[in-house]
Amino acid sequence: MILYVNACVRNESRTRRLAEKLIDKLESVNKEEIKEVRLENISMPIADEEFINKRDSLARSGRFDDPMFDLARDFASADTIVIAAPYWDLSFPAMLKQYIEQINVVGLTFKYLDNGMPMGLCKAGRLYYVTTAGGPILSDEYGFGYVRTIAEVFYGIKDIHYIKAEGLDIVGADVEAILKAVPVTI
């Protein structure tokens, strides 16, 4: 299954357009089911003390069938993951961070080794991070870098691809030409 984590909220989202170009390529080659998680449509609980205590208690008792873990189970079982998130304020929309807090489950998406280091439990062999920016992306480390690090270190996903288009709102920019020129390879 290809899991499409969609953090795009605008109807005419350029990030979504770029991600869907990738999804079409993946679908034509892999012939896998696409499962879209549209983050704007999910009411995610705040990761406060009550949430953390409930999550940890359920995880300790191995009750991963609880609906609280639906998002994490999908993430852990996906073969390929596509994350589409516009570049906002040097990073990505807050709803993507909330999503990561929901899927970060000890015993389901990762575990800790005896030396305290995390080890990934996710099935995905590949993750694509797709983003667009109106101006220049000043640093890849804040948005993509965070996702890359957590995917590699916590989830065990080593094959990570970065697809980006930037400078889309600069006066005189040919948006369609910029988007068309982005290499979307699988």
Side-chain angles (χ1 to χ4, degrees):
M1 178 238 328
I2 297 169
L3 182 65
Y4 174 28
V5 180
N6 183 346
C8 305
V9 297
R10 291 189 169 114
N11 288 331
E12 301 300 320
S13 170
R14 299 171 296 198
T15 303
R16 182 182 303 121
R17 286 177 50 201
L18 202 53
E20 288 175 356
K21 184 176 172 183
L22 170 64
I23 294 284
D24 288 345
K25 280 189 171 189
L26 288 168
E27 191 174 31
S28 70
V29 171
N30 297 334
K31 308 290 188 226
E32 291 181 70
E33 169 197 0
I34 307 290
K35 181 166 190 175
E36 181 178 2
V37 177
R38 199 158 185 167
L39 298 183
E40 69 180 313
N41 295 336
I42 297 174
S43 178
M44 290 183 255
I46 296 171
D48 59 10
E49 185 174 9
E50 180 181 342
F51 169 86
I52 292 168
N53 289 341
K54 178 181 178 185
R55 180 189 65 194
D56 292 352
S57 174
L58 289 168
R60 273 193 305 278
S61 63
R63 294 179 45 210
F64 296 117
D65 59 339
D66 188 279
M68 169 181 242
F69 300 125
D70 289 350
L71 294 171
R73 280 194 312 274
D74 285 344
F75 192 90
S77 67
D79 298 299
T80 302
I81 298 165
V82 175
I83 298 174
Y87 183 73
W88 287 0
D89 304 321
L90 299 178
S91 186
F92 45 72
M95 68 180 120
L96 180 55
K97 178 62 170 100
Q98 288 178 294
Y99 172 79
I100 292 168
E101 289 171 350
Q102 304 302 309
I103 66 168
N104 217 37
V105 180
V106 176
L108 189 54
T109 54
F110 75 99
K111 69 179 183 178
Y112 286 111
L113 300 173
D114 291 340
N115 65 1
M117 291 300 295
M119 182 181 106
L121 299 175
C122 293
K123 179 181 173 186
R126 187 176 306 143
L127 182 142
Y128 295 88
Y129 184 81
V130 182
T131 194
T132 61
I137 294 176
L138 300 174
S139 172
D140 291 335
E141 290 311 307
Y142 301 118
F144 170 67
Y146 173 81
V147 171
R148 179 189 62 226
T149 300
I150 200 162
E152 289 175 344
V153 175
F154 277 84
Y155 307 138
I157 305 168
K158 301 299 183 197
D159 189 6
I160 300 171
H161 301 263
Y162 186 30
I163 299 171
K164 67 178 178 177
E166 56 189 321
L168 300 176
D169 294 337
I170 294 173
V171 174
D174 184 341
V175 173
E176 294 308 316
I178 293 170
L179 289 174
K180 187 175 183 179
V182 174
V184 177
T185 57
I186 58 171

